Amino acid sequence: MTRVLLALVLGLEMGWSLRAEGVEIIGHRGASHDAPENTLASVMLAWQQGADAVEIDVFLSKDGRIIAIHDKTTKRLAGLDRPVADQTFAELRQLDVGLWKGGQFAGERIPTLAEVLATIPDGRRLFIEIKCGPEIVPELKRELDAARKDPRQTAVIGFSLETVAAVKRELPLLACYWVVELKPDETTGRLIPDAGELIGQAREAGLEGLDVGNSPPIDAEFVAAVKAAELELYVWTVNDVEAARRLRDLGIDGLTT
């Protein structure tokens, strides 16, 4: 989001913050409206804009390095139509992933997870969205151990319940959330999967909560069911001020924006 709009969502124009009311504001791929996504420039700008947390996407390179990038290939960001998993870290590091966003970002490189971890200020945290499979877990554990961050400063999210559950087993002190995209049932219009199904699977995996998409919007019944199960609830991607306030009033724990 722009700096001004993020300030509005944070409520700074009225002298209060959503975080003070219990809602964590997470920069989506950093400050990805204003800087090239998943880069150090984007991450650092998000911290400067006052985000409580930053979300990045990670893959494994061909030689087993964890790097921050969203897509399976480097075509959209760097113009090279080649899978990330088929490129070594040295090859990936040569790519310019900033120029597409503007000349001022020319030369921006794909960062490692370790580089992003090193930027986390005291009192804030990083959400790591895993875009590959459970093969990333051993290296993830090694890098988090090496970073020596308070476990409360990092969290793992992902669409693959298998992968997020594997992280939770290996790193039990880490907060882990299952990312889910809800869809309306064609007959009833109710959101599916329903809250009961999601809650059961998340609890069986020992996760802290769910991270659901904002389209279609979740309702009070869904939020109440998740909270009654003593799970946390995050929502992505929320770029509208009124939508953010509505979700705050429903009682969610945080939103990605």
Side-chain angles (χ1 to χ4, degrees):
M1 305 182 72
T2 65
R3 191 175 300 235
V4 172
L5 187 52
L6 180 56
L8 289 174
V9 173
L10 285 165
L12 299 181
E13 84 283 10
M14 293 187 288
W16 49 263
S17 78
L18 289 176
R19 184 54 178 163
E21 299 182 16
V23 177
E24 190 172 14
I25 304 298
I26 306 160
H28 186 223
R29 307 178 197 173
S32 57
H33 183 279
D34 301 322
E37 63 183 61
N38 284 314
T39 63
L40 290 179
S42 187
V43 169
M44 294 303 296
L45 185 56
W47 299 135
Q48 293 168 20
Q49 290 180 348
D52 299 307
V54 161
E55 178 264 355
I56 63 167
D57 308 284
V58 298
F59 271 101
L60 273 179
S61 67
K62 184 178 181 180
D63 48 350
R65 298 289 296 277
I66 301 180
I67 49 96
I69 190 169
H70 176 272
D71 298 358
K72 290 183 178 180
T73 78
T74 50
K75 181 179 181 180
R76 179 171 64 91
L77 299 181
L80 179 64
D81 191 6
R82 188 180 176 194
V84 171
D86 289 349
Q87 300 181 62
T88 65
F89 174 65
E91 291 172 322
L92 290 163
R93 194 68 150 188
Q94 292 175 12
L95 302 177
D96 186 325
V97 291
L99 185 58
W100 69 273
K101 190 70 171 178
Q104 69 272 35
F105 297 111
E108 197 70 27
R109 304 300 172 184
I110 296 173
T112 64
L113 173 60
E115 289 171 327
V116 178
L117 287 169
T119 73
I120 307 173
D122 292 343
R124 295 192 247 180
R125 67 171 172 166
L126 179 71
F127 281 72
I128 304 165
E129 181 171 345
I130 297 175
K131 289 294 187 181
C132 50
E135 67 275 6
I136 199 174
V137 176
E139 180 62 14
L140 178 65
K141 182 179 187 305
R142 191 195 69 77
E143 294 202 20
L144 290 175
D145 288 346
R148 297 183 178 275
K149 291 288 183 181
D150 186 316
R152 293 172 295 182
Q153 287 192 276
T154 50
V156 164
I157 63 176
F159 281 94
S160 167
L161 180 58
E162 176 193 6
T163 300
V164 178
V167 173
K168 189 64 183 177
R169 288 193 299 270
E170 191 65 29
L171 295 159
L173 296 181
L174 212 63
C176 294
Y177 305 90
W178 183 19
V179 181
V180 180
E181 186 170 12
L182 303 173
K183 296 181 180 180
D185 182 274
E186 292 183 1
T187 303
T188 66
R190 292 180 63 87
L191 296 180
I192 54 174
D194 65 36
E197 179 182 347
L198 296 174
I199 289 166
Q201 293 182 77
R203 294 185 71 174
E204 184 178 359
L207 307 184
E208 275 65 31
L210 301 170
D211 191 351
V212 303
N214 187 48
S215 179
I218 58 174
D219 55 26
E221 182 181 355
F222 184 93
V223 177
V226 175
K227 303 304 288 185
E230 299 184 343
L231 293 175
E232 297 174 35
L233 181 60
Y234 287 77
V235 179
W236 54 273
T237 301
V238 185
N239 292 335
D240 176 79
V241 175
E242 291 309 314
R245 292 188 175 127
R246 172 184 171 273
L247 290 164
R248 173 203 62 196
D249 293 342
L250 288 178
I252 69 163
D253 293 283
L255 56 87
T256 301
T257 181

